[in-house]
Structure formats: structure tokens, C-alpha cells
Amino acid sequence: MADESNTGPVAASEAAAETKAPTAKKQRSPRRQKATEQGKDSKATATAAKAKKYSEQERSDKLKLIETEVAQSNRTLKDAIKRAGISEQTYYQWKRAAKPVEQKAATPVPAGDELADLVQLEKENQRLRNLLAERLRTENAELRKRLGLD
């Protein structure tokens, strides 16, 4: 007769299978269902605030209010904007839109005029430098005379 404890590889795998008891998987909580497109839209419209449209007069009034608050008190620009009840983006958009038409539509100066202006500025700069040098020379000479170095 054969030894029952040593029957080969088949018996070893059967013995291992008997020792491992099948365990049930841990139950997970169910996943949340994805909202449908219709559900998202209805939820977004219910929570989103309606955008307020300001007239040109209201915009300019708020811009002036912000400028005066910043100038008169020690408030920062951010604080003044927040107190006015608008966002920083809105403030800068309104400010850009409120610039005078002259500044927006300023035509570029032709290159020839720019060069002539540059030459004129260089001449003026040289004249002022010479004037300053002359004034410094005279003051230096006067100081030397007072100190008796000459």
C-alpha cells in the first residue's frame, strides 16, 4: 500500500485548497451616480446668481467711488473694489472701457516725425548738459575763491 500522506503534487494542491476557505469580498459602498446633462443644467441655474447689468452712469459712479476711497483713505484698491460690490476683472474692464476716445484712437506717428523729434530732444539734452556744466564750473570757482584755494 502507498503512503497516503505522500501522494505527489496532486495531493499537495488538494490539501492547500482545503485549508484555504473562500472569503467573501469586502462590500464597498455604492458609487454615486453621474448626473445627467439635464440634471447638471437645472442645478447650475438654481445656484448661479444672475449677472447684473450696470448702466454707463452706474459704472462711472462706481469707478469714481473706488478712486476716491483709495485716494482719501488708507484702503487698498482690492478692498475698495470689494466694497463697491464688483470683481477686480470687472473693475479693470470698466476702467479700460472708460478711457477717453482720444487715447484709444491715437494714431501712430510716422517714422520721419519720430526721428525729427528724437533729433530735437537730443539737441535740447545737449544744451541742458552744457548749461549744467557751466553752472557747476562757476559754483566751483566761487567756492575755491571763498576757501582761498586759488
Side-chain angles (χ1 to χ4, degrees):
M1 236 179 168
D3 189 358
E4 291 181 17
S5 63
N6 191 7
T7 58
V10 174
S13 66
E14 287 177 9
E18 288 177 329
T19 58
K20 289 185 181 176
T23 58
K25 287 188 175 181
K26 184 179 178 183
Q27 292 292 324
R28 291 186 178 176
S29 60
R31 292 187 179 181
R32 295 178 74 187
Q33 295 293 325
K34 291 186 178 178
T36 61
E37 291 299 319
Q38 184 181 15
K40 285 182 182 177
D41 291 343
S42 65
K43 192 175 187 179
T45 55
T47 59
K50 190 173 182 180
K52 179 158 174 34
K53 300 285 183 176
Y54 292 95
S55 68
E56 287 297 320
Q57 183 63 37
E58 289 174 322
R59 289 180 180 187
S60 63
D61 289 344
K62 284 194 182 268
L63 288 174
K64 287 177 186 175
L65 174 71
I66 291 169
E67 289 174 9
T68 55
E69 278 191 22
V70 170
Q72 291 177 354
S73 66
N74 55 1
R75 288 196 188 280
T76 63
L77 182 61
K78 281 186 174 186
D79 291 340
I81 292 170
K82 196 178 282 188
R83 283 195 53 158
I86 59 174
S87 70
E88 284 186 64
Q89 289 177 333
T90 302
Y91 169 75
Y92 287 113
Q93 287 173 353
W94 288 0
K95 192 171 181 180
R96 183 180 56 225
K99 284 184 179 176
V101 178
E102 303 162 358
Q103 290 180 357
K104 288 182 184 178
T107 57
V109 180
D113 290 346
E114 286 179 1
L115 185 59
D117 288 344
L118 182 62
V119 169
Q120 183 182 1
L121 286 173
E122 286 178 351
K123 286 181 181 178
E124 178 71 12
N125 193 10
Q126 189 61 39
R127 186 185 70 79
L128 291 172
R129 283 183 182 174
N130 290 338
L131 183 64
L132 179 64
E134 182 60 34
R135 185 169 287 169
L136 288 175
R137 271 189 237 116
T138 57
E139 286 181 6
N140 193 11
E142 289 176 3
L143 184 62
R144 287 177 147 284
K145 282 182 183 178
R146 276 192 238 151
L147 294 175
L149 297 175
D150 275 343

